[in-house]
């Protein structure tokens, strides 16, 4: 008996040490700790925070930026950046809405339009970066302006409303109690996790961020991989536009201004190195939720909206500062 | 003049120097020898204040010193030429030489004229003539090395550390350097000289200290020892004749690669050559003669002025090293860290980097078990010394890193391997193993192109040798014509040079 | 200023991705076409500095009339002065500008805020918690909020429990209102400073399934439609963007033709649009 | 005679060859060509373009972004980026206006306030990057949010007007026919040129962007230099705020949204490598003017405002694409 108890204690000790070890070494550890700390603080500050309803609410709010951040993670892992995601999302949503409302085409075509717009602009970015050898920050900055302009031209500046009712399912529907946007987001994260961790392509994404020359000289098709990550970012922007359009029930050419910065913040808060090569997609999910909790919590606590910007900035700085040693 | 006592240094939990002593006198050239990873560079970084020792004392001119950074070491009369280049690519030679030690006019602005004159004077002493106004990135590797040396000389140091300065120099250039070193020695400067070229040690050095695995294994004068004994001290065992025997040439072997014409984008001669199965084709030439650029142009990694290639007799257009891989051509790049390895990846991930064709599960996914098995197999074939396949490659010694890059090609059905400077910065023990690996490859029927700046290696390994000068092949030699006079004659301006 | 006889009208908008301003532009084009005038339009995108540059560029093109929809009243003063120095007629539209403008044509924004919030309070029976969905702090928006607060203060049973910034943007407003609803379980009414924000708030209310009444300012087609459909969105106090432009252009032309008693300020009435009147209303 | 003519022809030939050489190698060549091409196009499209008045007009419009781009050039040369310049400018201007208007303090104090705010936030950025070892894109993204929030809190969201009349001199005054903002901008460029090209500090800025490790090993105090470039960027943001406040005659907490992107575009259009180490301050001036001409010209030509975004994006892409080989 005492023997058994000893064994148990030892294995518990080992378990604890293993957990500690993991905590000190996993790139996910720090984002998780941040998430927990901020959640607990918010829970103390507002009684309404830890309700099932509010947690689902946060996740639903997070979904759009969360989906954008998936593509952003791919791009940042290769050492690039995509400033165009917000604008591409707005253009995809506006054109999809336009196709359905103004041309009366069926919803499937609308969805397809959104995806094609996202894919097309993503390929354009990727082509300019990979074959044009231009820095991604500049290419996507230009694409951002182009996509915004096109969206406004297409819609004439008016939001496009009058969408068929089922579109709202993507934004406000629920399966059981789980909001549809949350399900869409989680599915996208699951797919991204598989792609990054279980496929050769995923390895190549990391390799390019780690040492592009080495990857290229060893025979990795670095240009194709770079094309692909920007295409993925375009597609996730299109998927985000589906959720957003469902939430707003209209195509908004000026939606998503500044979302690219939120997506970048989510990726970096999630522990991904901005220089590429290191990071986990689950970290991005945690980062996105952390940002969402900040927005939600500061609202719940009733902080002056101007002050919210300041507090958010400080918390991001603090989180990255503490996290820099882990990376 | 310089004395180091019981120096210990740990990186994280790993101790790499276990109490090293070193004593260097004024007016001597002191060789510091050891295998890759023995701790030579680490020790010298401690001398110059770039890293701090975990314990131990440094005594300069009889008084104990502690250098918090390089500036303090410089103030104490210490100068160093780093093993890794420390030049700024877009600044010119003058700006690089005086970086952080600029001469200023009374207004606090740069005194560009004075710096230029002083730079020119130092370079004249080294007998090199290089353009002072272009970014150093546009200089050849040897010229860059001289800028590096001139930068250290400009400090007027009384203790000068040269960490593998000759690795990128030709014999003639090495002679210029030695001449300056002798002058400095005569002027009473203490010089620490690190090199893997043991002949150089006997030419220039007075005393020798040998490190092995972070321990000092001995100190002696040059007169007391010979090459074999040094090698044994470094490696801990005798190395028999390091070049494996050359098998007889097979003139009937298939031509696996025929380069009909290739010309570099920067111009130069149009080259052509053939490569046969089972042979080692050496590419010799001075540093910067365009060997690397030529093979990169053939592989499509570099834009070429023109390039026409047949693989197995069929004309192919290679646009990317990936196309080379598809045709069974693999490259071992000249710089492991910059071009060969993803240093943050594990051995496993580096070995399988370009090889997922073999480890697929379903069509899309990686078969992790197979990946691990194949990697372990490849690691044992090239005898990588590491904790395991999941060790990060940046924790390995240079020789083991090089073997990881080689291991990458073992699980492919390769035909042609291009080894660019396969033994640069690699100690004698690992060198012999790599030579044996190359022979194992040719025995399997692989063809090898070996680019090397070390003549003995070219001579000892190659079945035929293409000699490069100013961007292209100027001669191809074989058989008994593979000797240093012949090769150097073609590689330089045509005058016969006598090489030590 | 005009060498050729065609009249040149320059109009600078604070933003043009809002139906409110887009319909202004349409009215301007129609009006100008009917008198054979040329129109130049610029979009400041909420950036005062760009708006000044835009005006400078229009002055280079020798406009005769400048219709100015300022991003910020104080910030555009330099542009007003420059235009006046060149003898250009300057009429501020929708929001006033500092400096020697010839006339200002704009909605009674304080009234609009007052009427919307009064409607809201009465619809709630003078009882309950309400919140304000604020916007980008510029004078017309600030006036609406002031008007709203004044109305709310007149109802003893109404408490203002929250003010958050939806930046007049549908997607931002959506998230902000979702959070408001979470943090105030008894929230009964929301006033949004414009219809863009209100549409986001509407989506949030509908998503929550709660019974919260919503009022707003503008009269945008989408909002009017939503009010007509019944539901949480019960009222918007409509402005008349097309009329603002028509009147504004009229003032400018009068001045251009030499009228000497052009009114300094022409307030345009606002009108309550609710479920009863929605069917008949459009910009 | 014929002999002399020959000599002349030869030296002319040499002159031409030297010019060609310069054109092919100077990093300024391409931005200049871009400037000329765009100017000529605009000149054809609008009669009002090539007037002295309009050229001064363009330069005056360029001044604010042009001044921001000076600090941005320093930061980008070291391999960093500063996303906070627009927000810092707004905060500096707002606080300076507040000090003068609400507290009735003299103008000198207002000016000093602006400079201290810019310097302070710049030092904060630099400290976080240099000592905190955090990526500048994240640090300055956070600072951007913080500075915007502080500006809005300070002013309560209202612009601060009622400034003494002399303030407008900085924005709309003239010396002779030259607008004061243009003079201020040119002086700042001249100082920046001297600092970058003629002082040790300037060489160190380039050295860090070229190879930070090597610079540190050579004894460059890399952290101090990085601190300094962000401080410089903060100070140029403050100087830009002086011009802006003069132009707007008010402190605008919302001013300058997106100016950081214009400043980055100016730097990159001017031929500076986004990765650092290479570039000339005069290139930035050309880049800023090029952007200004695009904005002005597209207005003069009467292009639909929505279309302007698209055209600007395309021209930036084209310019960088052609320029990428030179760099
Ligand atoms: N910064 C570091 N962190 C961790 N380990 C290090 C670091 N620098 C050096 N090492 C390790 O210290 C050991 C000694 O390295 P050092 O560079 O001194 O070897 P060396 O004798 O100069 O070898 P070579 O001949 O290849 O230049 C090696 O095992 C190396 O991996
Ligand atoms: N004339 C030149 N103009 C521009 N660059 C040059 C010139 N000569 C050499 N270089 C550069 O110097 C470097 C060395 O050339 P390369 O690597 O092809 O020579 P190599 O014979 O392989 O020498 P190494 O032994 O250093 O590999 C290359 O990066 C090349 O671009
Ligand atoms: Mg070494
Ligand atoms: Mg080479």
């Amino acid at each position: 008996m005492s023997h058994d108890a000893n064994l148990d204690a030892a294995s518990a000790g080992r378990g604890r040490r293993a957990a500690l070890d993991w905590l000190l070494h996993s790139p996910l550890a720090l984002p998780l700790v941040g998430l927990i700390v901020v959640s607990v603080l918010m829970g103390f500050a507002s009684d309404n925070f830890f309700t099932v309803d509010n947690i689902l609410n946060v996740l639903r709010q997070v979904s759009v930026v969360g989906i954008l951040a998936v593509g952003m993670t791919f791009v940042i892992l290769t050492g690039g950046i995509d400033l165009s995601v917000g604008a591409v999302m707005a253009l995809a949503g506006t054109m999809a809405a336009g196709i359905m409302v103004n041309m009366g085409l069926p919803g499937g075509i609308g969805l397809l339009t959104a995806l094609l717009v996202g894919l097309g602009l993503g390929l354009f970015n990727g082509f300019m970066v990979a074959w044009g050898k231009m820095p991604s920050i500049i290419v996507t900055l230009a694409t951002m302006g182009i996509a915004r302009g096109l969206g406004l031209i297409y819609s004439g500046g008016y939001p496009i409303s009058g969408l068929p009712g089922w579109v709202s399912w993507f934004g406000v529907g629920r399966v059981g109690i789980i909001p549809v946007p949350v399900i869409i987001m989680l599915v996208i994260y699951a797919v991204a996790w598989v792609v990054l961790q279980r496929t050769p392509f995923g390895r190549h994404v990391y390799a390019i961020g780690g040492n592009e020359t080495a990857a290229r000289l060893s025979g990795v098709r670095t240009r194709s991989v770079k094309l692909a990550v920007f295409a993925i970012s375009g597609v996730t922007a299109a998927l985000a536009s589906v959720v957003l359009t469902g939430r707003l029930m209209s195509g908004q050419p000026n939606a998503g201004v500044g979302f690219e910065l939120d997506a970048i913040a989510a990726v970096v808060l999630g522990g991904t190195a901005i220089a590429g090569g290191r990071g986990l997609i689950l970290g991005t999910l945690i980062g996105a939720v952390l940002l969402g909790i900040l927005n939600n919590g500061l609202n719940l606590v009733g902080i002056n909206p101007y002050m919210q910007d300041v507090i958010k900035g400080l918390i991001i700085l603090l989180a990255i500062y503490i996290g820099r040693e882990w990376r | 003049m310089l004395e180091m006592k019981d120096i210990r240094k740990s990186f994280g939990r790993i101790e790499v120097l276990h109490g090293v002593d070193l004593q260097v006198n004024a007016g001597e050239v002191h060789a510091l020898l050891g295998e890759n990873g023995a701790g030579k560079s680490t020790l010298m970084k401690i001398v110059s204040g770039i890293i701090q020792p975990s314990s131990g004392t440094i005594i300069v001119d009889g008084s104990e010193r502690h250098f918090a950074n390089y500036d303090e070491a410089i103030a104490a009369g210490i100068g160093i030429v780093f093993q890794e280049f420390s030049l700024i690519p877009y600044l010119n030679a003058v700006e690089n030489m005086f970086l952080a030690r600029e001469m200023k006019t009374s207004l606090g602005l740069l005194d560009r004229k004075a710096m230029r004159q002083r730079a020119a004077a130092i370079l004249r002493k080294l007998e090199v003539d290089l353009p002072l106004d272009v970014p150093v990135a546009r200089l050849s590797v040897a010229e860059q090395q001289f800028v590096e040396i001139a930068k250290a000389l400009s400090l007027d140091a009384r203790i000068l550390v040269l960490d593998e300065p000759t690795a990128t120099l030709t014999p003639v250039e090495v002679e210029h350097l030695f001449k300056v070193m002798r002058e400095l020695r005569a002027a009473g400067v203490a010089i620490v000289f690190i090199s893997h070229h043991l002949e150089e040690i006997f030419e220039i050095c007075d005393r020798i200290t040998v490190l092995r695995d972070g321990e000092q294994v001995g100190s002696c004068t040059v007169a007391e020892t010979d090459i074999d004994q040094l090698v044994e001290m470094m490696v801990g065992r005798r190395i028999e004749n390091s070049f494996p025997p050359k098998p007889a040439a097979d003139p009937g072997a298939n031509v696996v690669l025929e380069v009909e014409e290739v010309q570099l984008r920067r111009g130069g001669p149009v080259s052509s050559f053939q490569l046969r199965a089972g042979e080692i084709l050496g590419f010799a030439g001075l540093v910067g003669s365009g060997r690397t650029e030529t093979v990169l142009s053939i592989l499509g990694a570099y834009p070429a002025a023109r390039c026409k290639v047949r693989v197995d007799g069929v004309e192919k257009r290679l646009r990317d090293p990936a196309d080379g891989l598809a045709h069974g051509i693999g490259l071992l790049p000249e710089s492991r860290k910059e071009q060969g390895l993803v240093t943050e990846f594990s051995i496993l991930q580096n070995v399988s980097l370009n090889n997922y064709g073999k480890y697929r599960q379903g069509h899309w996914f990686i078969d992790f078990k197979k990946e691990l098995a194949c990697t372990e197999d490849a690691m044992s074939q090239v005898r990588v010394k590491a904790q395991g396949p999941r060790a990060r490659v940046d924790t390995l010694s240079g020789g083991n890193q090089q073997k990881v890059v080689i291991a990458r090609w073992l699980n492919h059905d390769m035909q042609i391997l291009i080894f660019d400077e396969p033994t640069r910065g690699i100690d004698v023990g690992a060198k012999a193993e790599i030579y044996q690996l190359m022979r194992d490859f040719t025995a399997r029927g692989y063809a090898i192109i070996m680019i090397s700046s070390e003549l003995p290696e070219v001579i000892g390994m190659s079945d035929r040798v293409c000699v490069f000068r100013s961007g292209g092949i100027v001669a191809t030699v074989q058989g008994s014509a593979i000797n240093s006079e012949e090769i150097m004659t073609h590689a330089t301006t045509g005058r016969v040079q006598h090489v030590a | 200023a005009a060498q050729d006889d065609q009249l040149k009208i320059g109009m600078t908008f604070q933003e043009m991705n809002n139906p409110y301003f887009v319909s202004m532009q349409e009215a301007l084009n129609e009006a100008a076409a009917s008198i054979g005038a040329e129109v130049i339009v610029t979009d400041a995108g909420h950036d005062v500095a760009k708006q000044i540059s835009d005006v400078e560029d229009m002055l280079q093109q020798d406009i005769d009339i400048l219709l100015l929809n300022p991003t910020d009243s104080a910030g555009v003063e330099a542009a007003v002065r420059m235009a006046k120095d060149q003898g250009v007629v300057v009429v501020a539209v929708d929001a006033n500008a500092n400096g020697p403008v010839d006339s200002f044509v704009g909605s009674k924004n304080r009234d609009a805020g007052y009427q919307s919030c009064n409607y809201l309070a009465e619809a709630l029976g003078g009882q309950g918690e309400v919140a304000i969905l604020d916007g980008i702090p510029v004078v017309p928006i600030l006036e609406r909020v002031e008007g709203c607060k004044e109305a709310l203060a007149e109802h003893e049973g109404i408490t203002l429990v929250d003010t958050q910034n939806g930046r007049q943007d549908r997607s931002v407003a959506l998230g902000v209102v979702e959070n408001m609803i979470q943090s105030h379980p008894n929230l009964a009414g929301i006033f949004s400073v414009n219809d863009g924000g209100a549409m986001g708030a509407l989506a949030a209310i509908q998503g929550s399934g709660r019974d919260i009444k919503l009022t707003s300012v503008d009269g945008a087609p989408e909002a009017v439609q939503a009010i007509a459909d019944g539901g949480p969105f019960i009222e918007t106090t409509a402005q008349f963007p097309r009329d603002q432009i028509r009147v504004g252009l009229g003032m400018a032309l009068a001045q251009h033709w030499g009228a000497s008693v052009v009114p300094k300020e022409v307030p345009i009435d606002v009108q309550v649009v609710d479920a009863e009147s929605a069917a008949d209303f459009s910009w």
Side-chain angles (χ1 to χ4, degrees), chain B residues 146-159:
Chain B
F146 274 112
V147 175
E148 196 85 60
I149 292 168
K151 183 175 166 183
L153 291 182
S154 77
L155 298 172
D156 286 329
R158 288 172 307 119
I159 300 169

Side-chain angles (χ1 to χ4, degrees), chain B residues 50 70-71 86 88 90 95 100-102 109-110 112 151:
Chain B
I50 296 195
Y70 187 28
D71 277 350
S86 62
I88 311 298
Y90 314 120
E95 290 167 335
R101 261 161 292 282
E102 290 85 358
L109 300 182
L110 293 170
R112 302 197 300 165
K151 183 175 166 183

Side-chain angles (χ1 to χ4, degrees), chain B residues 107-126:
Chain B
L107 288 172
L109 300 182
L110 293 170
D111 191 345
R112 302 197 300 165
K113 214 169 122 193
M115 287 192 285
R116 206 188 149 91
Q117 281 169 357
R118 181 134 162 67
I122 293 169
L123 288 169
R124 217 176 302 124
K125 214 159 79 180
L126 285 168

Side-chain angles (χ1 to χ4, degrees), chain B residues 17 20 22 30-41 43 83 163-164 192-198 201 208-218 227 229-236 397-399 425-431:
Chain B
L17 292 177
V20 174
L22 178 70
H30 194 107
L32 189 57
L33 299 184
E35 285 181 291
N36 295 125
K40 306 181 292 293
S41 299
L43 191 64
Q83 181 174 11
D163 194 350
E164 300 198 31
V192 180
F193 180 74
I194 300 175
S195 173
H196 287 291
H197 299 271
L198 297 183
I201 306 300
I208 298 168
T209 297
V210 178
L211 298 185
R212 183 163 75 226
D213 292 336
E215 312 243 20
Q216 186 193 0
V217 290
I227 288 202
Q229 200 184 338
L230 277 183
V231 169
E232 199 178 339
M233 278 168 83
M234 286 165 60
V235 190
S397 75
I426 293 216
D427 64 61
V428 284
K431 258 186 197 171

